[in-house]
Amino acid sequence: MATRLNILPDERFVPLRGALAERLEAVGEGIHPENFAALCDGMVRYLLEQALMQAGAHGGLIWLLDAEKESLVPSYGIGPASEPLVLQHQQPIREGIVSMVMMSEQPFCENEVYRNAHHSKMVDEKLHQQTFAMIVVPFYFLRQCRGVISCVQVQDVAADTPPPDGFQVDDLRTMQRFAAILTELLDYRLLRQTIQW
C-alpha cells in the first residue's frame, strides 16, 4: 500500500501569497489571442494533435476572449478546418455555440450540429463547408475561464459522400482531458516564468 504524500504549506510563503496572486492575475490579463501562440510549443501541439486524432476530429481550435471581452478569437488551431481561422475570425460573445459554452462554462457535444438553431454559420460560410459534429469545452488557466477549446467534423455538402461518423461521449471526455492537461501545463509554465524558477 502506498504511503500518502502530505505537503504542508510553508509559512515563509504566506506573506507573499497576495503579491503572487496579484502578479499572476496581471499575467493572465496580458495574454490575448495575438500572443497566445507563444505559449504553444511542440508539446502543446502534440497533445492537441493526439486529442483530435483520438476524438476523430478534422480540426480543433483554442479560442480566447479578445481584450475587450466582446468576442472569442481563434488563437491556435490544427487542421484544414481550423488553421485558416486563427486570428482571422471574431465570434461575438453572444452568438453561436462556442460563445454559449464560454458564458455557461458547460461542455457541448452534438452531431448534426448544423441543424441546431444556436449554431452560428459564420465559420462555415467563410470556409465553404458544413460543420457536421462539434465538441466545445471551457478552457481555464490561472484560475479563470478565459476561452474554449473546440473540435469539429466537417462535410462537403457539394460532394456525394456519406456524413462523418460523429462524436461520442468518449470523444467529449477526450477533449475535456486535453483541456485539463493544458490548464495544468500552462499554469505551471506561467508560474515558473513569473517567479523565475
Side-chain angles (χ1 to χ4, degrees), residues 63 85 89-92 94-99 108 110 112-132 134 154-155 157:
W63 306 68
L85 295 172
H89 178 70
Q90 291 189 340
Q91 186 69 38
R94 306 244 179 252
E95 182 180 338
I97 291 169
V98 293
S99 297
F108 175 91
E110 188 171 298
E112 297 186 2
V113 71
Y114 58 88
R115 298 180 189 272
N116 188 319
H118 296 291
H119 174 60
S120 171
K121 306 292 191 278
M122 292 172 66
V123 168
D124 286 346
E125 290 170 359
K126 187 176 281 193
L127 297 182
H128 309 290
Q129 67 186 21
Q130 183 177 66
T131 301
F132 177 79
M134 177 184 284
V154 297
Q155 60 183 354
V157 291

Side-chain angles (χ1 to χ4, degrees), residues 72-103:
L72 283 166
V73 178
S75 305
Y76 189 79
I78 292 177
S82 302
E83 289 175 6
L85 295 172
V86 173
L87 300 179
Q88 301 300 315
H89 178 70
Q90 291 189 340
Q91 186 69 38
I93 197 63
R94 306 244 179 252
E95 182 180 338
I97 291 169
V98 293
S99 297
M100 179 183 73
V101 171
M102 176 69 207
M103 300 298 283

Side-chain angles (χ1 to χ4, degrees), residues 14-80:
V14 171
L16 303 175
R17 284 182 188 163
L20 180 59
E22 184 179 309
R23 178 62 187 140
L24 288 172
E25 176 62 26
V27 168
E29 292 301 314
I31 297 172
H32 301 292
E34 296 78 17
N35 63 17
F36 180 76
L39 295 172
C40 297
D41 62 0
M43 178 60 72
V44 172
R45 184 171 188 87
Y46 171 79
L47 292 170
L48 181 53
E49 284 175 344
Q50 292 300 305
L52 295 174
M53 184 173 61
Q54 188 174 346
H58 298 146
L61 285 167
I62 300 172
W63 306 68
L64 292 186
L65 279 171
D66 64 4
E68 294 78 27
K69 297 184 175 15
E70 294 178 355
S71 299
L72 283 166
V73 178
S75 305
Y76 189 79
I78 292 177

